[in-house]
Amino acid sequence: MRDLKYLAALTIPVTAFLGIYFQGIWTYLTPVYAFGIIPVFEILLPQKNTYYSDVEQDQRSINLLFDWLLYLNIPIVYGLLVFSLFIVVSNTLKTYEIVGAVLSVGMVLGTNGINVGHELGHRQSTNERFLGKILLLPALYMHFYIEHNFGHHLHVATREDPATARYNQPVYSFWIGSIFRQYINAWRIQLKLLKNNNYLFLSLKNDMFWYIVLNALFLVVVYIFFGEIGLLFTVLSAVVGVLLLETVNYIEHYGLTRQKTSSGRYERVKEIHSWNSNHIVGRIVLYELTRHSDHHYKSSKKYQILECHDTSPQMPFGYPTSMVLALFPPLWFKIMNKRIPREMIAVQP
């Protein structure tokens, strides 16, 4: 029964459903819950390290419960979006209510959409990777699959990686650089894959082309059924979801760099090249995303067997609190800069 703790990840879309249903100030229930209530619990509850034996890892890896907990997010994410669109277009909401609804839905697209899509995108099964891409669609961020799996995991903690924030880089400039560079990199990776496999640009194997088509069809369908207001609501919610993701990217690798070897190549990715957080509530609601050091150390591991490495740099707060702190660069720098290994600061560009 204790493995059902990951159902707590659904509390974020639940607050969004409730907030949008009751309307008014309640539309802000999700951001208040995620960035107000959860941080309090993370401060009050003890951090918890997790280590599994080889037998436990094998058993947990094949336990389908953990997979179905991920699949459950697909109807929830799409159901919330459709429900919200009906509410927005069929009611005369005030501006502050629409803003609250956009923030709430956008946060769900980022956490239960992109985050779960990221987890499924690392799976070996083609069907699961397909489901992962389906969860990236509402945030209009399907190219993330290509850049993240074939770019970020290769170049993490280097200047070549758009998703690695540099020392003393504010989150706001990081947003701009990361979003645009990741899209460009996704195209570069796609074209290289096509060339290596002797496929033409106009090929069924050109995933980036299909992502554009699917994004366009998705928006067209929204426009047909919900009009201009629904289309604007969907796009703005997607923007919130993407910014949420990029803020997570920012805190996950901020200031950490890989050294170059005598051959001029970067050292292999180690558990020291990502920030780890053992704050239990953030771990659960984000499907162990906060065990990011282990994820990069061995990206094939499923979320339910990710562990804490004692050598990994540790975040002083959980992800929700850290994301809020990141929005205040001077405060973020003051807290985090002293935690970055000195040798990494010395090689910063």
Side-chain angles (χ1 to χ4, degrees), residues 288-304:
E288 303 292 356
L289 181 67
T290 65
R291 291 284 169 83
H292 210 61
S293 301
D294 198 26
H295 170 67
H296 270 277
Y297 186 60
K298 192 173 183 180
S299 60
S300 61
K301 292 179 70 172
K302 294 183 176 181
Y303 74 96
Q304 65 265 29

Side-chain angles (χ1 to χ4, degrees), residues 55-73:
V55 173
E56 287 177 314
Q57 289 198 28
D58 291 340
Q59 292 176 341
R60 292 175 70 83
S61 292
I62 62 175
N63 188 338
L64 294 179
L65 168 66
F66 296 106
D67 297 332
W68 281 100
L69 287 173
L70 297 180
Y71 306 155
L72 185 59
N73 284 277

Side-chain angles (χ1 to χ4, degrees), residues 163 165 171 174 245-256 274-276 286 290 292 315 317-327 332 336:
V171 67
F174 172 80
L245 163 72
E246 295 302 339
T247 305
V248 169
N249 276 337
Y250 177 82
I251 66 175
E252 285 176 335
H253 302 287
Y254 170 75
L256 302 179
S274 306
W275 292 97
N276 181 78
L286 292 174
T290 65
H292 210 61
M315 302 188 74
F317 305 102
Y319 269 33
T321 304
S322 297
M323 292 170 70
V324 174
L325 291 176
L327 300 179
W332 172 259
M336 295 301 296

Side-chain angles (χ1 to χ4, degrees), residues 197-304:
N197 291 281
N198 295 316
Y199 291 121
L200 298 175
F201 179 83
L202 294 177
S203 166
L204 293 176
K205 298 296 184 178
N206 188 341
D207 289 343
M208 286 296 290
F209 173 76
W210 286 110
Y211 296 160
I212 293 175
V213 172
L214 290 172
N215 285 336
L217 286 176
F218 176 73
L219 293 177
V220 167
V221 170
V222 170
Y223 178 75
I224 291 174
F225 285 96
F226 301 102
E228 295 179 358
I229 295 178
L231 180 63
L232 180 60
F233 180 87
T234 300
V235 171
L236 291 178
S237 297
V239 170
V240 172
V242 169
L243 291 181
L244 192 72
L245 163 72
E246 295 302 339
T247 305
V248 169
N249 276 337
Y250 177 82
I251 66 175
E252 285 176 335
H253 302 287
Y254 170 75
L256 302 179
T257 58
R258 282 192 279 161
Q259 308 288 326
K260 282 191 174 182
T261 64
S262 57
S263 65
R265 302 180 66 179
Y266 288 106
E267 62 180 318
R268 70 179 182 84
V269 178
K270 302 176 183 176
E271 64 275 14
I272 62 173
H273 296 123
S274 306
W275 292 97
N276 181 78
S277 170
N278 291 320
H279 297 79
I280 191 167
V281 181
R283 282 178 45 209
I284 293 173
V285 299
L286 292 174
Y287 297 100
E288 303 292 356
L289 181 67
T290 65
R291 291 284 169 83
H292 210 61
S293 301
D294 198 26
H295 170 67
H296 270 277
Y297 186 60
K298 192 173 183 180
S299 60
S300 61
K301 292 179 70 172
K302 294 183 176 181
Y303 74 96
Q304 65 265 29

